Amino acid sequence: DGARLKALFESFGEVVAASVEKSGVGLVIFADQKAAATAAAELDGLDAFQAGAMRCQRLASSSSDEKPPRRGARSPPVSPVRPPAGNTDDDDAARTAMRARRFGLTPSDAPSPLRFGGPQIDAFRGPSPPPPDVSTTAEDAPPPAGTTESLVGACELMCPQSEIDERVRFKELDAFETPADAHAMDDAALRVAARATAVKKYKRSDAGSVQNVPALVRPPRVLAATFAHLVAHVMATMPLAPQPTADADADDAPIEAYLFLWDRCRAIRKDFILQNYTTGGLVDATVVDVFEKMARFFIAMERRLADHPEWRDGVAHGKHNAESLSETLTALLAFYDMQHKARRTRGAAQPQHAAAPQTSTTTTTTTTPNEAECTAYWILFFLDQDRGAAAGRLLARLAVERPEL
């Protein structure tokens, strides 16, 4: 449907509209011709919806060919990604079409002791499953490299060595990823030391920057380790409650940390997408665990930074945060559905003893540990869209298919 098409294609650029015609052909309209060409090239032949390989063709760019989706088509509850201002890779972010509604959470006036690090972290995060077993089983293992179904990442570092070399050369290591005593190192030593601290930046795929190369893509276990590094070394330093200070530079420190994390989280999500961890593709405990923690981070940042002057006005980082939260929660719901269907299929395939009663495979009592929590976040986030119609449809479906949830 249009929602799944949009969620898949918008990682390549701003999607103005997406719909499925009566003929069964999907129509995706990009705001940028280059993004359309890149998406068509990289997704052609990919089996993203478990319905056979897609055939992607870019239509002529004249305005007469860019017909809108059919009248009455339902808009998906996913918003296009908006980068912060100043990102030279994303200068097209000034466009305002299809902007997400801001996440209208009003922060409490009372200070909160909760932090991302320390003994109180579990109070914020809620119940958390044990660290996922990132070793893939034969059941959920991606196809071998070189097949059309999925790319398999081969980068074993948090940041590809080629990117480290380039950023060291041009003095582009961020303060949050610069090794200790970097000032005393020459470039050769810094390139080695940065392997333990540098984190891959987000880059759009375009004609001059092809990203779907195994050597540049981190596999799921490395992506999970990268996110854990960000939690321990950056998120843990950010108090959830604003701290009283007269230092203007100190007041900007949380925004600077947020922008660094926002960019690196976006790169993590893209590496998952490039390996077909998307709607109708692959899913495992690793991607679910990372996306759940990422969603909690975006929610916490709304509370922490809501009063910052650049959060609502001007650069409006809050809109970028809301869009990232929207995409993350929507992807999570798709992952949960895929896991549920896989469990139901396995249950239906088990042999039944003749004397045992036949049990229905329509529902199952098995849920992912944090599924109810993150589903509730999605419902709250989209509750004001179409007068609650999207949330109502989800609740109605869950009442029939997933009553235990």
Side-chain angles (χ1 to χ4, degrees), residues 124-375:
F124 165 70
R125 285 182 174 170
S128 183
D133 179 7
V134 298
S135 60
T136 56
T137 64
E139 180 179 0
D140 58 15
T147 64
T148 58
E149 286 84 357
S150 179
L151 176 150
V152 179
C155 177
E156 295 295 325
L157 300 174
M158 295 189 296
C159 182
Q161 186 64 52
S162 58
E163 181 178 326
I164 293 176
D165 295 346
E166 179 181 351
R167 291 168 60 194
V168 167
R169 177 185 175 188
F170 293 103
K171 313 298 181 186
E172 292 181 349
L173 287 178
D174 195 279
F176 297 101
E177 57 186 358
T178 301
D181 300 325
H183 62 279
M185 301 179 187
D186 58 18
D187 283 1
L190 185 55
R191 285 194 292 268
V192 175
R195 294 175 183 174
T197 58
V199 181
K200 180 180 176 180
K201 294 174 65 175
Y202 174 83
K203 290 183 179 179
R204 276 187 175 172
S205 298
D206 55 40
S209 176
V210 178
Q211 301 299 311
N212 59 341
V213 178
L216 301 179
V217 177
R218 299 159 292 181
R221 59 181 174 78
V222 177
L223 292 170
T226 301
F227 188 80
H229 171 87
L230 294 175
V231 171
H233 295 278
V234 185
M235 293 184 192
T237 67
M238 301 175 66
L240 290 186
Q243 304 298 304
T245 176
D247 186 350
D249 292 336
D251 188 51
D252 285 336
I255 280 285
E256 293 172 0
Y258 166 77
L259 294 179
F260 172 79
L261 291 166
W262 181 89
D263 177 88
R264 279 18 177 212
C265 286
R266 195 177 175 192
I268 289 174
R269 294 202 309 275
K270 179 162 186 179
D271 274 7
F272 273 119
I273 291 173
L274 287 173
Q275 295 172 89
N276 203 21
Y277 284 85
T278 183
T279 305
L282 302 174
V283 64
D284 58 25
T286 301
V287 65
V288 170
D289 182 67
V290 171
F291 274 53
E292 286 174 343
K293 293 174 180 175
M294 202 177 289
R296 295 187 188 115
F297 164 70
F298 292 133
I299 292 172
M301 288 301 95
E302 172 65 28
R303 184 209 188 288
R304 172 63 181 88
L305 299 171
D307 292 333
H308 194 280
E310 293 183 356
W311 194 251
R312 301 289 180 222
D313 303 319
V315 182
H317 298 304
K319 292 183 179 179
H320 314 145
N321 190 71
E323 290 152 5
S324 293
L325 177 59
S326 168
E327 291 187 348
T328 304
L329 291 175
T330 301
L332 272 174
L333 260 62
F335 291 147
Y336 293 145
D337 278 347
M338 292 160 62
Q339 288 182 320
H340 172 64
K341 291 175 182 176
R343 288 192 295 264
R344 186 173 57 185
T345 301
R346 289 196 297 268
Q350 292 177 354
Q352 297 285 344
H353 296 289
Q358 296 293 322
T359 57
S360 171
T361 59
T362 302
T363 61
T364 176
T365 57
T366 304
T367 62
T368 303
N370 300 315
E371 184 174 355
E373 172 197 353
C374 292
T375 301

